[in-house]
Amino acid sequence: MYEGAVQDLIDELGRLPGVGPKSAQRIAFHLLAAESADVGRLVAALQRVQAEVRFCSTCYNVAEGEQCRICRDPRRADDVICVVEEPKDVVAIERTREFRGRYHVLGGAISPIEGVGPDDLRVKELMTRLMSGAVTELIIATDPNLEGEATAAYLARLVGPLGLAVSRLASGLPVGGDLEYADEVTLGRAFEGRRRIDA
């Protein structure tokens, strides 16, 4: 336990996701030792994010205006929507440069253990977008874990009656990985998602 402002800083840093007590303490003492200009830039960046960044009114990705840059881009295909859990997932997919459609950020995944149900996610907003009739394909790109699978199954059942092409991102073996180190679920998915090789 430290005095006053230092302990308050450690406590606040410790509330951040993925930052435990030891990390919070390390960051706090790093900030104490840093130049005041460096700390000032950090404070200014935090204040700017707080004041200027919001969620896109269309897809719920992060945006500095009414819409994010992806929703404003007229070169994007309007007939395909990729559903992801969080804005960070949009960034991961964008890095591949493989997807040229639109996104929809749910804001999480169904998790009964954590008390998160479909009503806690942006599912209604997704359904509103799908009812427009412009979308012909829905790609579900939720995480390949229990919550992500539950969310994907729920969405697939929900949009089934709309007659859209619904797909799930393939999952399987990583490039450069060894079969002997893959778990049973990953290997099973790799077999399910296998592709024909044209010679």
Side-chain angles (χ1 to χ4, degrees):
M1 295 292 287
Y2 297 92
E3 289 186 31
V6 174
Q7 188 60 49
D8 290 345
L9 177 59
I10 292 170
D11 291 344
E12 289 304 314
L13 290 168
R15 292 176 53 199
L16 296 171
V19 179
K22 292 271 190 202
S23 294
Q25 183 176 322
R26 259 193 309 279
I27 295 167
F29 280 99
H30 172 78
L31 292 171
L32 284 171
E35 297 281 330
S36 62
D38 294 338
V39 175
R41 280 194 303 277
L42 175 62
V43 169
L46 289 169
Q47 288 173 333
R48 185 169 173 231
V49 164
Q50 185 78 41
E52 298 176 17
V53 177
R54 59 186 61 89
F55 292 109
C56 174
S57 62
T58 304
C59 74
Y60 301 94
N61 189 14
V62 289
E64 289 192 8
E66 183 70 19
Q67 287 189 313
C68 69
R69 66 173 177 77
I70 295 169
C71 287
R72 289 191 316 263
D73 187 347
R75 297 169 299 178
R76 292 282 183 154
D78 290 322
D79 61 333
V80 182
I81 291 180
C82 180
V83 178
V84 297
E85 292 179 23
E86 302 291 344
K88 62 183 172 54
D89 302 324
V90 172
V91 173
I93 294 171
E94 283 296 289
R95 277 197 310 257
T96 70
R97 299 180 188 266
E98 293 291 326
F99 181 67
R100 298 298 303 154
R102 306 287 181 180
Y103 291 95
H104 187 84
V105 181
L106 293 172
I110 295 171
S111 177
I113 292 172
E114 293 178 19
V116 178
D119 293 338
D120 300 309
L121 305 175
R122 297 185 189 103
V123 175
K124 285 187 221 98
E125 294 85 347
L126 173 63
M127 294 306 290
T128 301
R129 289 179 73 187
L130 297 178
M131 294 297 186
S132 72
V135 179
T136 58
E137 182 181 1
L138 187 71
I139 301 170
I140 302 174
T142 53
D143 291 341
N145 56 25
L146 192 62
E147 294 82 6
E149 293 296 335
T151 305
Y154 175 81
L155 290 175
R157 278 194 312 274
L158 189 65
V159 303
L162 299 178
L164 302 174
V166 180
S167 59
R168 178 98 167 97
L169 282 189
S171 59
L173 300 170
V175 174
D178 293 328
L179 285 179
E180 66 181 299
Y181 299 118
D183 62 273
E184 294 83 9
V185 174
T186 302
L187 268 175
R189 288 199 181 136
F191 270 100
E192 288 173 13
R194 69 188 182 277
R195 294 178 298 169
R196 176 181 230 107
I197 298 175
D198 295 322

